[in-house]
């Protein structure tokens, strides 16, 4: 029986997992990276977002680019379009324009 191995694997953090948290204030000229991490830290960022009903968007390519941005720095202009599209989609979601069946949390 291999249950012990399976349960131990389930408890181990995914070392490849990465996560970024962005914040945007009306006084900011662009969103800022307010949290980022790998492995257990990434899992905690995602868990905290979900606990607070914050949408979690999954995009390995975008996260890889954002991981290069220092903590508390604004995102670079090259990423404005990608982030703006996500924010516009979230705005439509909050206003009820997007079908909730299409949402992945």
């Amino acid at each position: 029986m291999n249950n012990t191995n399976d349960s131990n694997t389930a408890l181990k953090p995914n070392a490849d997992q990465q996560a970024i948290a962005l914040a945007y204030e009306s006084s900011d000229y662009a969103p800022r990276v307010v949290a980022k991490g790998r492995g257990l830290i990434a899992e905690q960022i995602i868990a905290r977002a979900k606990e607070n009903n914050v949408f979690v968007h999954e995009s390995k390519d975008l996260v890889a680019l954002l991981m290069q941005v220092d903590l508390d720095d604004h995102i670079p202009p090259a990423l404005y379009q990608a982030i703006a599209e996500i924010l516009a989609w979230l705005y439509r979601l909050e206003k009820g324009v997007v079908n909730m069946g299409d949402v992945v949390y």
Side-chain angles (χ1 to χ4, degrees), residues 8-90:
N8 285 342
T9 302
L11 297 176
K12 290 181 185 176
N14 179 352
D16 295 332
Q17 179 75 52
Q18 296 181 331
I20 297 285
L22 299 177
Y24 180 74
E25 303 287 332
S26 59
S27 60
D28 286 337
Y29 64 88
R32 290 179 301 109
V33 173
V34 294
K36 68 179 188 173
R38 292 181 168 80
L40 184 58
I41 299 297
E43 290 178 7
Q44 290 174 347
I45 291 168
I46 293 167
R48 190 165 287 180
K50 289 180 178 181
E51 288 168 6
N52 290 286
N53 296 316
V54 173
F55 176 76
V56 176
H57 177 77
E58 295 184 33
S59 170
K60 289 183 181 184
D61 293 336
L62 185 55
V63 169
L65 292 169
L66 289 168
M67 287 295 286
Q68 298 173 36
V69 179
D70 289 333
L71 211 49
D72 264 346
D73 278 358
H74 292 95
I75 65 167
L79 297 179
Y80 285 3
Q81 182 68 35
I83 299 299
E85 288 176 11
I86 294 168
L87 293 175
W89 185 83
L90 285 171

